[in-house]
């Protein structure tokens, strides 16, 4: 395979087909001399980890409106950032986002480092994000490999090794494609190609700029690659969630511990989540079981929550959590699983 020709064809395709994204400097603007803002590249890449472009777009615009630069984000209150992050999941990312913003705004005078090695030293920046920022924001010839790129490379080189075992091999092959010139555009072109042409189930080989050299296309095996090792089934955990409404309409909420699942996020008080949890009401009340259950899937397990609701008097003294007035309560500030609990509670109450 002539990798130089393939890389040039990919960049030509990108020049015509680059997706428009609010954080992206497109190829035409880039040619006109516009430079990407490292803050925006970093923010978008952290948001995009484990999340789709569609889910990130509105959140990103809201973050940029609230905090247009790293100094503004670094100065933001933790609770406000966590509330704005709600719904994106993987909340450790939001905590690390703040830590990183404060490290850059404090110790580095607001300037992100340019090399992958230095970027890796910042909180919440792993190998993928470091490579993406170095390539896209600073034109460093780094190889950026996300799920889309893995798929394109596995097909291009007809890699039969299943994922995740194939990761190192795919990264090495992707590095062979990475050019010295325009590495940022190349990285984004690979991502766009995977997202829009070399899609998981229906690759559009007829319009693909890599169709000539693509080995999987020649072998008629594109749809079978990349291969994946069978996943172990996720366990199911159970729990109770408690929604207490005070006589004045205030709701009992609890901020979760800073570390661990949903760390630092607001939520409804609840029991442990395990195979056979014990009830753990946060305040003495006549709790009513609500029909139905809340189902939510985390990375490593499925969760099923039984819901208990109660109306409590004005002088109720909860053992955990604190009351939030209805005027100050925003379901949008809750993580998704807690929002599902609220939806079920709200539908059960008259
Ligand atoms: Fe993917 Fe088909 Fe292009 Fe190969 S030719 S990279 S399988 S879209």
């Amino acid at each position: 395979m002539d990798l130089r020709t393939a890389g040039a064809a990919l960049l030509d395709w990108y020049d015509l087909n680059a997706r428009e994204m609010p954080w992206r400097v497109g190829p035409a603007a880039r040619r006109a001399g516009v430079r990407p803002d490292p803050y925006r590249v970093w923010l978008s890449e952290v948001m995009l980890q484990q999340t789709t472009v569609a889910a990130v777009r509105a959140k990103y615009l809201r973050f940029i409106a609230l905090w247009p630069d790293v100094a503004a984000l670094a100065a933001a209150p933790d609770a406000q950032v966590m509330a704005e992050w709600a719904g994106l999941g993987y909340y450790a990312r939001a905590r690390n986002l703040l830590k990183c913003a404060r490290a850059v705004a404090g110790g580095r005078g607001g300037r992100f480092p340019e090399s992958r090695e230095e970027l890796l030293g910042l909180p919440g920046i792993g190998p993928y994000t470091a490579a993406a920022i170095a390539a896209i924001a600073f034109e460093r010839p780094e190889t950026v490999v996300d799920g889309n790129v893995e798929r394109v490379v596995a097909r291009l080189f007809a890699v039969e090794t299943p994922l995740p075992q194939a990761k190192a091999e795919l990264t090495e092959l992707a590095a062979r494609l990475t050019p010295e010139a325009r590495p940022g555009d190349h990285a984004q072109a690979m991502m766009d190609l995977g997202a829009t042409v070399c899609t998981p189930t229906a690759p559009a080989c007829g319009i693909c700029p890599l169709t000539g050299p693509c080995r999987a296309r020649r072998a008629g095996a594109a749809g079978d690659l990349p291969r994946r090792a069978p996943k172990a089934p996720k366990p199911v955990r159970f729990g109770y969630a408690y929604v207490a409404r005070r006589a004045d309409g205030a709701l009992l909420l609890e901020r979760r511990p800073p570390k661990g699942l949903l760390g630092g996020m607001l939520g409804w008080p609840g029991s442990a989540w395990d195979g056979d949890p014990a009830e753990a009401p946060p305040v003495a009340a006549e709790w009513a079981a609500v029909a139905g259950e809340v189902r939510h899937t985390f990375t490593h397990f499925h969760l099923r929550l039984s819901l208990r609701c109660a109306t409590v008097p004005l002088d109720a003294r909860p053992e955990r959590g604190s009351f939030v007035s209805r005027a100050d309560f925003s379901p949008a500030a809750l993580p998704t699983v807690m929002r599902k609990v609220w939806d079920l509670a709200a539908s059960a109450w008259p």
Side-chain angles (χ1 to χ4, degrees):
M1 180 188 303
D2 181 348
L3 295 181
R4 193 175 301 176
T5 310
L10 181 66
L11 281 172
D12 288 347
W13 173 86
Y14 180 71
D15 285 343
L16 296 173
N17 297 284
R19 289 180 292 174
E20 283 192 15
M21 314 242 195
W23 49 83
R24 176 177 280 180
V25 175
R30 198 103 167 193
R31 271 196 303 279
V34 180
R35 311 298 310 160
D37 175 353
Y39 169 68
R40 291 176 180 228
V41 174
W42 162 74
L43 180 62
S44 63
E45 288 299 337
V46 174
M47 284 186 162
L48 285 163
Q49 291 164 17
Q50 317 278 350
T51 316
T52 63
V53 168
V56 165
R57 206 177 279 267
K59 284 279 180 196
Y60 169 84
L61 290 171
R62 174 121 180 117
F63 265 66
I64 288 295
L66 287 166
W67 304 298
D69 55 38
V70 72
L73 181 59
D78 291 37
Q80 189 188 3
V81 174
M82 298 307 283
E84 291 294 338
W85 191 273
L88 281 179
Y90 300 91
Y91 295 97
R93 285 184 299 158
R95 296 194 296 276
N96 280 328
L97 188 85
L98 264 176
K99 278 190 206 156
C100 184
R102 288 168 185 161
V104 172
R108 306 191 53 90
R111 291 175 69 87
F112 280 84
E114 298 190 11
S115 72
R116 187 176 62 85
E117 292 75 15
E118 283 180 288
L119 285 159
L120 276 170
L122 289 170
I125 296 189
Y128 166 80
T129 311
I133 298 170
I136 297 169
F138 299 114
E139 287 293 354
R140 298 283 177 120
E142 298 292 349
T143 302
V144 185
V145 183
D146 68 357
N148 282 322
V149 176
E150 281 178 350
R151 184 169 57 255
V152 172
V153 173
R155 289 170 175 175
L156 192 57
F157 293 91
V159 174
E160 290 284 342
T161 316
L163 282 166
Q165 200 189 328
K167 277 184 179 294
E169 183 180 355
L170 294 176
T171 301
E172 194 273 320
L173 290 169
R176 289 200 218 160
L177 283 171
T178 306
E180 287 290 325
R182 300 180 66 191
D185 282 350
H186 171 82
Q188 294 173 100
M190 289 289 282
M191 293 177 199
D192 282 16
L193 189 77
T196 63
V197 175
C198 194
T199 55
T201 53
C205 303
I207 58 166
C208 177
L210 303 181
T211 196
C214 181
R215 292 183 189 165
R217 200 264 318 151
R218 271 208 300 280
D224 301 331
L225 298 176
R227 302 210 185 276
R228 290 181 194 279
K231 281 187 186 163
K234 291 182 185 182
V236 180
R237 294 186 195 168
F238 301 87
Y240 295 97
Y242 298 89
V243 177
R245 184 172 57 173
R246 211 166 55 182
D248 61 355
L251 295 161
L252 183 61
L253 286 153
E254 182 179 47
R255 190 164 293 283
R256 296 177 65 86
K259 293 225 164 116
L261 203 60
L262 309 181
M265 299 299 293
L266 260 191
W268 309 102
S271 68
W273 297 344
D274 55 33
D276 185 19
E279 292 249 14
V283 58
E286 290 204 8
W287 292 98
V290 173
E293 65 180 4
V294 168
R295 293 183 174 207
H296 190 75
T297 296
F298 291 98
T299 318
H300 300 298
F301 64 96
H302 301 292
L303 178 65
R304 295 185 184 176
L305 288 178
S306 298
L307 176 58
R308 305 283 187 256
C309 286
T311 302
V312 298
L314 284 174
D315 61 355
R317 293 274 171 271
E319 290 169 20
R320 308 200 314 270
S322 51
F323 285 99
V324 174
S325 74
R326 281 307 294 272
D328 290 337
F329 171 66
S330 165
L334 300 176
T336 305
V337 62
M338 297 298 174
R339 214 177 305 165
K340 289 181 184 176
V341 170
W342 171 244
D343 289 344
L344 182 59
S347 69
W349 263 318

